Amino acid sequence: MPFLYDNLTATVVGLTVLLILASLQMRMTKSSVTQAGRKAALNQAQTFATWLEDDLGRMGRNRGSGEVFSIGGRSNQDASPTGKVLDDFTFHFEDDSGSETTIEYSIAERETEARTLYDLTRNGGDGRTSRLGYFDIRFLDRNAQVVPNPESNEGRIQSVRVQFSVVAPFQNDQTDVREVHRMVVVPYTPAQG
């Protein structure tokens, strides 16, 4: 009888230890998913902000006034701080050798179960950023006020403000950072005329 009691006790203790270890493993897996999602969103937001600064810093460089940029339109989006999402945006610049370059951002809506996300494609596939919560560009005057109708008020523009968010690709119930919001402000290079 003591032999059976000892074996039963050892089995119960062994199963308890096994359940504790399985529970710890599940928690660690959830924590890893949370950390991977947060890190991916932060890295993508930083990389995207860096190349936006590089791109938009060249806008209008070495060009005459007019036809420096064109805004394709905006769609409504409640998640955006501006209430809008840019549909497409094209701008031009010339390098010091006189070669003209055209950069086009095309923003496409992508439906998901939880919310609408956006994909941004640069020059038809030259660069791509996915899982954007919103993306909008505004032109600001010297008082940091939005310039109405910027294409015809180009002389008033002092800077370009881009607002976007990147949604974490991996999320679970422990995810604390679900979306990374960024704002990039770049001085506008007035057209040489």
Side-chain angles (χ1 to χ4, degrees):
M1 188 68 145
F3 177 72
L4 289 174
Y5 181 72
D6 287 344
N7 282 339
L8 184 61
T9 303
T11 302
V12 169
V13 169
L15 287 174
T16 303
V17 169
L18 186 64
L19 286 173
I20 289 171
L21 290 174
S23 174
L24 287 173
Q25 180 64 33
M26 286 176 53
R27 284 186 185 178
M28 289 174 50
T29 300
K30 279 186 171 183
S31 178
S32 294
V33 167
T34 298
Q35 290 175 1
R38 179 178 58 231
K39 186 175 181 179
L42 289 169
N43 285 343
Q44 184 176 359
Q46 183 60 42
T47 301
F48 187 43
T50 300
W51 68 258
L52 277 173
E53 286 178 12
D54 290 344
D55 264 3
L56 297 176
R58 295 185 293 229
M59 181 177 12
R61 188 161 291 156
N62 298 327
R63 291 192 50 102
S65 59
E67 296 185 14
V68 172
F69 59 87
S70 64
I71 300 169
R74 290 186 164 85
S75 303
N76 293 330
Q77 172 52 272
D78 293 335
S80 173
T82 63
K84 302 285 184 181
V85 172
L86 196 65
D87 294 331
D88 59 83
F89 178 69
T90 304
F91 65 93
H92 313 280
F93 65 89
E94 292 179 14
D95 60 20
D96 292 332
S97 68
S99 297
E100 181 180 327
T101 302
T102 300
I103 303 291
E104 181 180 352
Y105 296 153
S106 176
I107 297 89
E109 194 173 296
R110 179 172 55 151
E111 294 290 331
T112 62
E113 306 84 42
R115 65 179 283 192
T116 301
L117 297 179
Y118 299 90
D119 295 329
L120 182 138
T121 305
R122 180 182 181 268
N123 281 4
D126 187 22
R128 183 182 175 116
T129 299
S130 298
R131 302 192 58 83
L132 294 175
Y134 58 86
F135 179 84
D136 199 14
I137 295 176
R138 299 292 175 152
F139 293 89
L140 308 176
D141 63 15
R142 66 185 181 136
N143 296 319
Q145 299 298 314
V146 175
V147 175
N149 196 7
E151 291 160 314
S152 60
N153 290 315
E154 189 180 336
R156 292 181 49 200
I157 299 171
Q158 295 293 316
S159 59
V160 180
R161 179 181 66 202
V162 181
Q163 293 173 291
F164 66 92
S165 72
V166 176
V167 177
F170 316 114
Q171 298 183 18
N172 60 26
D173 58 349
Q174 293 181 348
T175 301
D176 53 349
V177 177
R178 296 187 181 278
E179 189 169 4
V180 177
H181 302 270
R182 288 283 189 259
M183 179 172 64
V184 176
V185 178
V186 180
Y188 178 69
T189 305
Q192 305 296 318

